[in-house]
Amino acid sequence: MMVSTKGRYALRVLVDMAEHQSEGYVPLKEIAQRQDISEKYLESIVKTLVKGGVLTGLRGKGGGYRLGKSPDQCAVGTILRMTEGSLSPVACLEPGAAPCARSSACRTYAMWKGLDKVIGEYLDGFTIADLMRAEQPGDYYVI
């Protein structure tokens, strides 16, 4: 599994918006400047997030975007599935995938299924609120 720029940027944008949520609707142009992301590319990311109910938008003067949910209700796994389509490490585990003809004899299926579960549980364990914190789990590696 490789997370694309769309998924990575979506997380950066949501953290940025959460940090500026007291300002009300935040113009896309401001987010693009702060995050050094093309405004045009950001439009496609925001469109996906609005469609998914994570953001709400307001047109016109004073318009922009804001979080549709509180940062602690926005799971990283949900955001990445929304932007990436799937987090599955192999095609046979993707949602809606046709049953594999080899699944009964596949010696690697259980391993892939376990990895898929670990990835999902790990990413679902983080929220945008967690990403807002300067100190992240794992930052204190001691030998």
Side-chain angles (χ1 to χ4, degrees):
M1 172 196 82
M2 176 81 94
V3 177
S4 71
T5 56
K6 187 173 185 178
R8 294 192 327 265
Y9 289 1
L11 294 174
R12 284 176 39 196
V13 165
L14 291 172
V15 170
D16 183 285
M17 293 182 86
E19 290 172 341
H20 293 91
Q21 64 186 342
S22 64
E23 299 168 19
Y25 287 94
V26 182
L28 205 58
K29 185 176 186 171
E30 290 180 16
I31 300 165
Q33 288 173 341
R34 280 194 298 264
Q35 293 301 316
D36 193 28
I37 301 171
S38 154
E39 194 172 343
K40 188 80 172 162
Y41 190 42
L42 194 52
E43 286 174 7
S44 70
I45 295 169
V46 167
K47 183 178 178 181
T48 301
L49 298 173
V50 168
K51 186 177 176 183
V54 177
L55 296 179
T56 58
L58 179 67
R59 294 179 187 239
K61 186 173 177 153
Y65 295 91
R66 69 177 182 188
L67 294 176
K69 301 176 180 181
S70 67
D72 63 338
Q73 293 178 326
C74 297
V76 168
T78 302
I79 303 306
L80 290 176
R81 285 181 201 92
M82 198 178 296
T83 56
E84 300 297 317
S86 173
L87 300 176
S88 298
V90 290
C92 64
L93 293 173
E94 290 189 8
C100 177
R102 294 188 40 81
S103 64
S104 63
C106 183
R107 305 264 181 160
T108 61
Y109 180 77
M111 177 198 58
W112 294 126
K113 191 167 178 129
L115 178 60
D116 189 44
K117 182 180 178 190
V118 169
I119 290 169
E121 288 175 355
Y122 181 79
L123 294 175
D124 288 337
F126 285 92
T127 65
I128 296 302
D130 295 325
L131 299 181
M132 290 171 66
R133 295 184 186 99
E135 298 170 359
Q136 293 292 315
D139 281 354
Y140 299 105
Y141 184 75
V142 178
I143 297 178

